[in-house]
Amino acid sequence: GEEVAQTPKHLVRGEGQKAKLYCAPIKGHSYVFWYQQVLKNEFKFLISFQNENVFDETGMPKERFSAKCLPNSPCSLEIQATKLEDSAVYFCASSPARGSYNEQFFGPGTRLTVL
Amino acid sequence: AQTVTQSQPEMSVQEAETVTLSCTYDTSESDYYLFWYKQPPSRQMILVIRQEAYKQQNATENRFSVNFQKAAKSFSLKISDSQLGDAAMYFCAYAMEYGNKLVFGAGTILRVKS
């Protein structure tokens, strides 16, 4: 597609439950990024992929968070045992190639609310 | 680690006037990119303008222009002829040349008065 698609739009989970978010990058884009925007509007980089390979995971919390980009499937971000502090909007972005010259196209985000 | 600072939490401008949003950053890299993103209430992130650090010429995109001062590590955004549709949160962001990941500032809320 011509836009980054993210599902679901909203996700509500009780504390301790699992949350799984999906991202379909723009067709032909080989780089995928996940960012977390917390309620104070701060953006935090989580992880990036080059095709199905992890490219940079320096922002990924060591526990509870995992992500995958498998061939012919949407990318996913999974949070095990959610905590109140995981409440945020999670953005996925895709880019056609390596090199920061290439624009990152953002999806509409998934709002995760942990109760 | 690279950091981006936006010291203005909120700015206001009268319609048709000009406003400048400030951004400073810290890096030891010589090659990098700087960006301004707009986030309206819909939360959709929209790239407004980008600047390559190796280019001395300031980037411009229609009513949007930047003042890039590499030595001072400053990257401000000027919006001319402000329109009601410019009201949004604006984020300054940095990326290393091949690092790809964006490092964002805290954002500046821009309000446009009619």
Side-chain angles (χ1 to χ4, degrees):
Chain A
E2 294 299 315
E3 294 180 337
V4 176
Q6 289 189 248
T7 55
K9 279 188 178 179
H10 303 281
L11 191 58
V12 179
R13 288 289 179 264
E15 210 172 358
Q17 291 185 317
K18 183 175 75 175
K20 196 163 186 178
L21 292 62
Y22 297 92
C23 167
I26 293 172
K27 192 175 179 181
H29 283 195
S30 53
Y31 283 82
V32 171
F33 306 81
W34 285 98
Y35 296 92
Q36 178 194 54
Q37 185 178 29
V38 294
L39 295 180
K40 287 168 67 176
N41 293 314
E42 294 174 13
F43 272 91
K44 178 187 173 186
F45 166 77
L46 295 175
I47 190 169
S48 61
F49 288 84
Q50 179 184 12
N51 296 312
E52 63 268 25
N53 303 307
V54 174
F55 184 70
D56 182 349
E57 57 181 348
T58 52
M60 202 67 159
K62 299 293 183 199
E63 299 176 352
R64 304 188 299 108
F65 283 65
S66 63
K68 292 179 187 177
C69 278
L70 299 175
N72 302 313
S73 296
C75 296
S76 63
L77 176 68
E78 189 168 332
I79 309 172
Q80 301 284 345
T82 53
K83 296 183 177 182
L84 295 176
E85 68 222 41
D86 299 331
S87 293
V89 180
Y90 291 83
F91 287 95
C92 172
S94 73
S95 179
R98 188 182 179 187
S100 297
Y101 177 80
N102 298 286
E103 181 178 348
Q104 291 187 27
F105 294 83
F106 282 77
T110 291
R111 179 182 292 277
L112 172 65
T113 302
V114 181
L115 303 174
Chain B
Q2 294 82 17
T3 57
V4 177
T5 302
Q6 292 179 250
S7 58
Q8 306 155 318
E10 191 171 325
M11 292 284 283
S12 290
V13 63
Q14 201 69 34
E15 202 175 1
E17 298 291 307
T18 296
V19 65
T20 298
L21 308 184
S22 301
C23 173
T24 58
Y25 59 95
D26 188 25
T27 183
S28 56
E29 303 289 327
S30 58
D31 294 322
Y32 50 87
Y33 292 82
L34 296 163
F35 308 84
W36 279 98
Y37 278 87
K38 172 184 177 182
Q39 187 179 44
S42 67
R43 290 222 176 235
Q44 180 67 50
M45 292 290 281
I46 302 162
L47 178 63
V48 174
I49 199 165
R50 69 181 152 204
Q51 174 80 42
E52 296 89 339
Y54 64 85
K55 286 188 178 179
Q56 291 186 334
Q57 187 173 8
N58 289 325
T60 61
E61 287 286 343
N62 301 314
R63 297 183 296 108
F64 300 87
S65 61
V66 298
N67 183 3
F68 173 50
Q69 301 289 328
K70 192 172 184 179
K73 295 181 181 173
S74 170
F75 182 63
S76 60
L77 174 69
K78 186 170 88 171
I79 306 174
S80 304
D81 186 26
S82 297
Q83 300 174 359
L84 294 176
D86 295 333
M89 176 79 86
Y90 286 81
F91 290 94
C92 179
Y94 163 99
M96 291 195 297
E97 186 176 13
Y98 289 106
N100 284 72
K101 71 177 181 186
L102 294 166
V103 177
F104 288 91
T108 297
I109 298 171
L110 177 65
R111 304 192 191 282
V112 181
K113 301 175 184 175
S114 59

